[in-house]
Amino acid sequence: MASFSLDDIRTAAEAKYGSTDIELGDTTIRLLNPLRLPKAARTELAQLQDRMGGEDADQEELLSEAIRLVAEHPKAADTLLQAVNGDLALLAEIFDRYGRATQVGEASASRD
């Protein structure tokens, strides 16, 4: 019979569903995997992503809101957004890398 400690499971979860880390000078900004967010934040993130595809969507505002949702804490989001200074290309690249990093941990669809 297999036996695992909760610490073993935490380590595996962190490896599989860890954060996306952005180095900013001597500070590391952690963007949490959606599965590590509270349910309300996951729901809000999904709604923001849906709105990003809208015709009149303010991409800068929506990407900034998304970063605020997934940042480890509000000060980290403020620090990152201040460094980005409204550069939509940087915001898009951050969110793209975040999205690619979080896809790795998703379960694949069943073949049955």
Side-chain angles (χ1 to χ4, degrees):
M1 171 177 18
S3 177
F4 304 98
S5 72
L6 186 54
D7 285 339
D8 292 337
I9 294 168
R10 279 189 182 109
T11 299
E14 184 60 31
K16 192 171 185 179
Y17 305 107
S19 62
T20 299
D21 296 350
I22 299 172
E23 300 296 326
L24 193 61
D26 60 350
T27 302
T28 300
I29 307 298
R30 295 184 66 198
L31 304 179
L32 303 177
N33 185 296
L35 295 177
R36 306 304 289 272
L37 297 173
K39 184 176 182 178
R42 287 193 310 269
T43 300
E44 192 173 343
L45 181 60
Q47 291 169 346
L48 281 172
Q49 289 173 306
D50 289 344
R51 289 174 41 206
M52 284 180 201
E55 200 171 296
D56 296 329
D58 181 336
Q59 297 297 320
E60 180 184 344
E61 179 183 327
L62 294 173
L63 289 169
S64 295
E65 284 182 50
I67 287 171
R68 288 187 189 288
L69 272 176
V70 302
E72 184 175 33
H73 51 79
K75 184 178 178 184
D78 290 342
T79 300
L80 180 58
L81 292 171
Q82 184 177 6
V84 167
N85 195 29
D87 186 329
L88 185 54
L90 287 177
L91 287 169
E93 184 64 22
I94 289 168
F95 200 76
D96 181 60
R97 288 180 186 221
Y98 171 78
R100 283 187 277 140
T102 60
Q103 295 299 313
V104 174
E106 288 189 354
S108 59
S110 174
R111 295 178 186 230
D112 294 329

